[in-house]
Amino acid sequence: MNWSAALPTFVITLREGVEAALVVGIVLAYLKRVGRSQLHLWVWAGVGVGIATSAMVGVGLSQLVQGLGSASQQYGPVVEPLLEGLFSVLAIALLTWMLVWMTQQSRFLKSQVEGAVGKSLQRQTRQWGIFILIWVAVLREGFEAVLFITAKLQEGVVPALGAIAGVSAAAVIGIALFRLGIRIDIRQFFYGMGILLLLIVAGLVVTALGLFDTALSTLAHLDRKSEALCFFYERFSKQPACILGPMVWNTSKILPADRFPGILFSAFFGYTDTLYVVQFIAYLGFLLAAGSLYFRSLGKRPESGRLVHPRVE
């Protein structure tokens, strides 16, 4: 079993889980401060339902991919990688957007969450307002991880195990912050996680293009009318891919992607021992574009480098 496939989902769910834990901790601390500790139960209900909903979405997407892939015996080998490629694109877009958006909004997170809680407390259905606030926060972070795991379906259940470990680690960090009062430099944590997440998502760009190439290449072999889709076959004589152009390198004998340490590079950074021109250009292009947006979004320093909240009993 390839346990290295659990590492990217562990990193992503750890980061997204800590974001959700911060929202939960801020809400719990605020409710205690204003004498509304009896609403804590609704907070934990929102957390539980949010995690359950994310898991249900993940199972549903997995069943959709497998169902559509097996619906047609002839085109099943085309549909499954095509769908996984589409989910990869969605995961790339959502993870990148959330990375940049959350970095920009992090300095205002506490005031925004407390403002939303304050408005909910003014309504008669205050408990449902708290529940929905937490449920949406957890589901938002969970949906990103679910899309990433769905895009990695070909690697089996291992990515899901990595996600469970990431959520557990995020819960431990949340407890350390809000119940034990441990000081953690949360700004540096998100800075490091952000850089690692950029590299992981850039690797997903390579994987997505490989999935599209596999789908179209298989389609071209199954249906001669679709042979024109593989336009690089006619333009390059030496090892071209269907839509990815000529090969940049083949390091399968020097650093195979299915053996250590290549297997770790593959898990974290999308390393492949057979890289093609289009993948290489897309990888660098994504890093330059998304990286510049991310580092620009860091902008001003947040209100406090260390996030410290009162203990939540």
Side-chain angles (χ1 to χ4, degrees):
M1 188 175 287
N2 180 16
W3 289 104
S4 64
L7 296 176
T9 51
F10 172 81
V11 171
I12 287 176
T13 51
L14 174 61
R15 189 188 187 282
E16 307 303 330
V18 169
E19 287 181 3
L22 292 180
V23 174
V24 171
I26 291 170
V27 172
L28 290 173
Y30 182 80
L31 290 174
K32 181 184 177 183
R33 191 167 69 243
V34 299
R36 298 281 188 171
S37 297
Q38 69 273 17
L39 294 175
H40 282 186
L41 180 62
W42 290 89
V43 173
W44 295 119
V47 172
V49 174
I51 293 175
T53 307
S54 299
M56 290 172 62
V57 170
V59 171
L61 291 177
S62 300
Q63 298 267 340
L64 175 65
V65 172
Q66 294 173 0
L68 291 176
S70 60
S72 171
Q73 293 183 351
Q74 181 180 5
Y75 292 103
V78 177
V79 173
E80 191 163 338
L82 184 62
L83 285 176
E84 290 176 10
L86 290 173
F87 282 123
S88 296
V89 172
L90 288 174
I92 290 165
L94 189 58
L95 286 169
T96 304
W97 180 77
M98 285 302 298
L99 175 63
V100 175
W101 183 81
M102 276 303 300
T103 303
Q104 292 174 333
Q105 298 297 316
S106 61
R107 65 181 64 94
F108 310 116
L109 180 63
K110 184 179 179 183
S111 60
Q112 288 178 343
V113 172
E114 290 185 345
V117 175
K119 290 180 180 178
S120 296
L121 292 177
Q122 295 174 6
R123 303 188 183 101
Q124 290 184 346
T125 56
R126 60 182 67 89
Q127 64 271 26
W128 287 107
I130 300 298
F131 171 84
I132 292 173
L133 173 66
I134 297 297
W135 175 66
V136 169
V138 173
L139 180 61
R140 182 184 62 197
E141 309 300 342
F143 185 68
E144 299 168 30
V146 161
L147 276 180
F148 185 83
I149 294 170
T150 304
K152 296 260 181 192
L153 279 178
Q154 72 276 13
E155 298 178 23
V157 299
V158 176
L161 297 178
I164 294 172
V167 171
S168 301
V172 170
I173 292 176
I175 292 171
L177 278 172
F178 295 101
R179 290 192 67 88
L180 304 180
I182 295 176
R183 292 174 177 267
I184 298 176
D185 193 332
I186 212 70
R187 181 175 181 267
Q188 290 301 318
F189 170 83
F190 279 120
Y191 178 75
M193 286 289 104
I195 293 175
L196 191 55
L197 185 59
L198 275 175
L199 293 172
I200 290 174
V201 177
L204 191 58
V205 171
V206 174
T207 301
L209 289 171
L211 289 167
F212 287 131
D213 183 81
T214 298
L216 293 179
S217 178
T218 304
L219 180 61
H221 283 91
L222 292 175
D223 184 0
R224 290 189 176 182
K225 295 180 181 179
S226 304
E227 288 181 350
L229 293 172
C230 295
F231 46 84
F232 279 115
Y233 281 171
E234 298 178 357
R235 292 168 174 78
F236 296 95
S237 58
K238 291 186 178 180
Q239 297 179 309
C242 178
I243 60 171
L244 301 179
M247 187 179 291
V248 175
W249 70 55
N250 185 343
T251 55
S252 56
K253 295 182 179 180
I254 303 173
L255 188 63
D258 58 350
R259 296 180 185 175
F260 184 85
I263 199 168
L264 291 180
F265 297 150
S266 177
F268 273 119
F269 314 124
Y271 166 76
T272 174
D273 47 28
T274 53
L275 185 74
Y276 294 88
V277 166
V278 173
Q279 289 174 310
F280 180 71
I281 294 173
Y283 183 86
L284 291 182
F286 174 84
L287 279 183
L288 288 174
S292 62
L293 286 173
Y294 172 63
F295 288 111
R296 195 179 303 166
S297 69
L298 292 173
K300 300 177 182 178
R301 189 180 180 89
E303 296 173 2
S304 173
R306 295 180 182 271
L307 180 62
V308 182
H309 290 287
R311 291 188 184 184
V312 179
E313 303 297 342

